[in-house]
Amino acid sequence: ESDFKVFDYIWGMNQGVVFSGGRIHALLALSKRYPRYTEWLEMAERDFKEIINRYILEDGGTLEGPGYWNYTFRNALPTAYLLARYHGQSLKDYVWDKLRKTGDMGPLMLSTVGEGYSFAPINDAHAESYAPIVSALYSQISNHPEWKALYKKALENGKSEKGRNRFGLLDAGREFIIMAPDDPDLSEDLPGERFIYLPQTMQCACLRRNERVKTRFHYISGPVSKGHYHEDKGSFILEVNGEAIIMDRGISGYHSPYVVLLPKAEYHNLLMPESGTSVPYMQTDETGELSMSASCENGRLEIRSDLTGAWPEGIFEACSREVKSPDPTVFSIADHVVLCNPGQCSFRLNTQAELEREGESFILKGERSTVKVTPVNWKPEKVWFEPFGVDEHLKPVNQLRLYTPVAKEHRLVTKIEVL
């Protein structure tokens, strides 16, 4: 109890959400035998809701990536479930707007890689499944059909070793016994198309398909959360036919020295300003002026983002990136930057595919997909393609760098085509 009174920091982060579980579970047990604890329980419930409301942005997003979102709400949802039972309500009737809205994070982060049931490794995250209890409870309170499909998959995996994650956990049969829906709807499959955009979180994901390919494009910008953020403002992921052909590395285990490297800007799919020294530029750890808009109408994806505030002062006078994609197979990346001093930039893509040169284009050949990268209105002064660092599993990652000439201003259009 004293921690909630004297440690201010836990009121704005997921630790306060998680700590509330133990506090409330104990008070629920005590208040039945000792009603004098009811007043403490009511206070703990108010605190629980306030901490969650501070942690979640207005659009339902959070800023630490899907790994910590999964951890946070794996703890928060059972607590909400027990409070609903205490008040004689269903979970769907008990939950409030922000707790319901943050369920949008699930399908936003849902990757198509592999079987398509894991989240993308964005920020300090590993590509793994949502906790079964999260899918079980959000299948009751969210209108997104993805949660019912994820719950059905979790039930199937609960009967096998597939239900376990890298810690050997999440085989949550015991939780399902008491918290599964009374009449679960197991008819839902994962939708073939979706578009989700969270304007305050400044991330969007667009899943589309045609008769030949299925692609998912995920764009990342947004405010900085100093806990587990990465320098990825302006980066993107392209998944084709269940393969992240242009990838985010996620994060290594915290015991690895790569844990301090993988969050850096130079390891993301950015137009990277070159420092000209052995010390690369970094994005700022303070939230500057950022803006983003995104839409997908009649199958046409358009994204606009001002990224000037993502970098420390003294690097860019202006920095923006636009994405236009008329169909699932073509993505036009338009970068416009004005440097404070004339300099060079590099257009960077991270991949585990092999590279082939085809005229002025670059072919990335993966296991399931092939894409062609073409500078449309510019010619790279230098091309670099070599192993550069690792992914979350410590497997090597290749990086393609297309260097611009030295100039004060760069207007670059680069086309990515799915072959």
Side-chain angles (χ1 to χ4, degrees), residues 313-331:
E313 293 184 5
I315 298 176
F316 288 121
E317 294 178 7
C319 177
S320 66
R321 170 166 273 184
E322 296 187 7
V323 180
K324 293 185 178 181
S325 174
D327 63 58
T329 67
V330 179
F331 300 85

Side-chain angles (χ1 to χ4, degrees), residues 117 128 142 158 161 215 256 295-296 321:
Y117 291 95
E128 58 189 23
S142 172
E161 285 300 307
T215 64
S256 168
S295 64
C296 186
R321 170 166 273 184

Side-chain angles (χ1 to χ4, degrees), residues 33-141:
R33 171 63 179 83
Y34 305 104
R36 65 184 65 92
Y37 278 104
T38 301
E39 185 176 344
W40 284 24
L41 175 59
E42 292 172 351
M43 177 177 61
E45 183 178 15
R46 290 194 303 271
D47 293 349
F48 175 60
K49 290 182 176 180
E50 182 178 344
I51 293 169
I52 285 179
N53 287 343
R54 290 186 181 191
Y55 183 66
I56 300 171
L57 302 185
E58 289 302 315
D59 58 11
T62 62
L63 299 177
E64 295 183 304
Y68 279 88
W69 183 92
N70 186 43
Y71 166 75
T72 300
F73 293 98
R74 184 188 181 204
N75 285 274
L77 288 170
T79 301
Y81 178 89
L82 294 177
L83 286 168
R85 291 285 296 270
Y86 172 75
H87 291 296
Q89 296 178 281
S90 69
L91 180 64
K92 188 170 186 177
D93 289 337
Y94 175 78
V95 296
W96 58 102
D97 287 345
K98 274 200 170 180
L99 187 55
R100 182 181 294 105
K101 183 66 174 170
T102 200
D104 293 356
M105 279 282 287
L108 170 71
M109 296 292 180
L110 189 62
S111 171
T112 61
V113 170
E115 293 184 288
Y117 291 95
S118 299
F119 48 75
I122 295 172
N123 296 128
D124 276 8
H126 304 273
E128 58 189 23
S129 300
Y130 290 106
I133 197 61
V134 173
S135 59
L137 296 182
Y138 266 116
S139 72
Q140 300 178 52
I141 61 180

Side-chain angles (χ1 to χ4, degrees), residues 48-270:
F48 175 60
K49 290 182 176 180
E50 182 178 344
I51 293 169
I52 285 179
N53 287 343
R54 290 186 181 191
Y55 183 66
I56 300 171
L57 302 185
E58 289 302 315
D59 58 11
T62 62
L63 299 177
E64 295 183 304
Y68 279 88
W69 183 92
N70 186 43
Y71 166 75
T72 300
F73 293 98
R74 184 188 181 204
N75 285 274
L77 288 170
T79 301
Y81 178 89
L82 294 177
L83 286 168
R85 291 285 296 270
Y86 172 75
H87 291 296
Q89 296 178 281
S90 69
L91 180 64
K92 188 170 186 177
D93 289 337
Y94 175 78
V95 296
W96 58 102
D97 287 345
K98 274 200 170 180
L99 187 55
R100 182 181 294 105
K101 183 66 174 170
T102 200
D104 293 356
M105 279 282 287
L108 170 71
M109 296 292 180
L110 189 62
S111 171
T112 61
V113 170
E115 293 184 288
Y117 291 95
S118 299
F119 48 75
I122 295 172
N123 296 128
D124 276 8
H126 304 273
E128 58 189 23
S129 300
Y130 290 106
I133 197 61
V134 173
S135 59
L137 296 182
Y138 266 116
S139 72
Q140 300 178 52
I141 61 180
S142 172
N143 292 326
H144 284 291
E146 288 87 351
W147 284 119
K148 290 183 171 62
L150 289 168
Y151 174 51
K152 180 170 71 171
K153 186 65 174 178
L155 286 177
E156 295 172 1
N157 287 348
K159 301 172 184 177
S160 72
E161 285 300 307
K162 287 185 178 180
R164 300 182 182 274
N165 71 359
R166 67 187 191 284
F167 302 116
L169 304 174
L170 303 190
D171 191 2
R174 291 170 298 176
E175 294 175 324
F176 280 171
I177 290 173
I178 61 171
M179 295 184 184
D182 294 331
D183 185 20
D185 179 1
L186 301 182
S187 63
E188 296 284 359
D189 292 316
L190 289 174
E193 296 188 345
R194 65 174 169 268
F195 173 71
I196 297 179
Y197 168 46
L198 301 186
Q200 284 79 45
T201 308
M202 295 189 190
Q203 293 196 39
C204 73
C206 184
L207 172 64
R208 294 171 294 170
R209 64 172 66 214
N210 60 21
E211 66 283 354
R212 187 170 59 86
V213 298
K214 175 176 71 174
T215 64
R216 177 180 176 273
F217 188 91
H218 191 123
Y219 188 84
I220 307 163
S221 184
V224 168
S225 172
K226 292 188 179 181
H228 299 281
Y229 84 105
H230 285 195
E231 298 172 29
D232 55 4
K233 310 308 177 266
S235 187
F236 61 88
I237 300 168
L238 177 60
E239 300 168 4
V240 181
N241 294 336
E243 177 181 28
I245 190 73
I246 298 174
M247 62 185 291
D248 193 306
R249 303 161 187 256
I251 196 66
S252 63
Y254 287 160
H255 61 279
S256 168
Y258 281 103
V259 74
V260 299
L261 297 176
L262 297 188
K264 303 302 182 186
E266 60 184 315
Y267 289 88
H268 290 86
N269 304 311
L270 298 171

Side-chain angles (χ1 to χ4, degrees), residues 251-324:
I251 196 66
S252 63
Y254 287 160
H255 61 279
S256 168
Y258 281 103
V259 74
V260 299
L261 297 176
L262 297 188
K264 303 302 182 186
E266 60 184 315
Y267 289 88
H268 290 86
N269 304 311
L270 298 171
L271 184 69
M272 181 77 188
E274 295 298 324
S275 69
T277 73
S278 60
V279 181
Y281 285 133
M282 298 168 55
Q283 290 190 345
T284 180
D285 62 356
E286 300 288 345
T287 299
E289 290 295 324
L290 299 168
S291 65
M292 176 178 168
S293 64
S295 64
C296 186
E297 298 179 359
N298 300 317
R300 182 180 180 85
L301 173 66
E302 294 194 1
I303 302 168
R304 295 179 176 83
S305 64
D306 187 329
L307 303 164
T308 311
W311 300 90
E313 293 184 5
I315 298 176
F316 288 121
E317 294 178 7
C319 177
S320 66
R321 170 166 273 184
E322 296 187 7
V323 180
K324 293 185 178 181

